[in-house]
Amino acid sequence: KAGVTQTPRYLIKTRGQQVTLSCSPISGHRSVSWYQQTPGQGLQFLFEYFSETQRNKGNFPGRFSGRQFSNSRSEMNVSTLELGDSALYLCASSSLITSGARDEQFFGPGTRLTVL
Amino acid sequence: AQSVTQLDSHVSVSEGTPVLLRCNYSSSYSPSLFWYVQHPNKGLQLLLKYTSAATLVKGINGFEAEFKKSETSFHLTKPSAHMSDAAEYFCVVSDPNAGNMLTFGGGTRLMVKP
């Protein structure tokens, strides 16, 4: 079974631009979550999508948005990029969420975004 | 609100000696707990998970962790370190009262000396 794939793997943008990152989950997984990883803040939850609906959202400004398609693929968008948005963006997928417990999340290799 | 504290940002051991990575959590409900490992330039890989079954959880690559509710701890151990264990390790809590969102600890970088 193919793992979680993320494209592109590396991206360089300048301040003020916008960027779109893509994530393809493991086949059959309907939950996709996004995380931002930086040396200063560590790993922080951005949002989660399940069956094309946003289920949870972390504490990030509205410049960060996402969506999920009917095939469970997900994209996240960051508008008006700032230097502080430079980070590794990780996507994770999981199967149906069972009551009372989180199913294992499988992570992709990440997209490293550099904002100049 | 839930939180996770990894007590050591860096741990250095010699190859063949035991590994102990410490983790304390705070959760308003019975949480699910995980340890993930991240090798350089790679995504995160699940080592093991606790979901209210046995308190001693065995994972991959010889790692195990013990859930101690009275101490709110979930420390990760391995009897004998291998050079390939050098990586960053994350303790993670999932609280069903918080929509099953994952909260990550700050990470512990494990260094293994030959």
Side-chain angles (χ1 to χ4, degrees), chain A residues 9-10 35 37 43 45 48 55-58 88 90 97-98 100-109 112, chain B residues 30 32 34 36 38 41-46 49 51 88 90 94 96 98-106:
Chain A
R9 292 292 311 277
Y10 302 91
Y35 300 85
Q37 185 177 23
L43 269 154
F45 171 76
E48 177 193 6
R55 285 175 59 89
N56 291 303
K57 189 176 191 307
L88 180 67
L90 292 164
I97 298 171
T98 56
R102 156 69 75 185
D103 285 348
E104 174 186 353
Q105 291 200 337
F106 293 83
F107 284 80
R112 184 161 298 280
Chain B
S30 295
S32 295
F34 308 80
Y36 280 86
Q38 185 178 33
N41 300 314
K42 297 284 183 66
L44 279 74
Q45 181 186 19
L46 181 70
K49 62 181 176 182
T51 54
E88 185 138 24
F90 293 93
S94 167
N100 279 321
M101 290 195 308
L102 297 185
T103 300
F104 286 77

Side-chain angles (χ1 to χ4, degrees), chain A residues 51-68:
Chain A
S51 294
E52 302 178 64
T53 301
Q54 188 179 88
R55 285 175 59 89
N56 291 303
K57 189 176 191 307
N59 190 25
F60 277 82
R63 299 185 297 107
F64 292 82
S65 63
R67 59 177 175 169
Q68 186 179 34

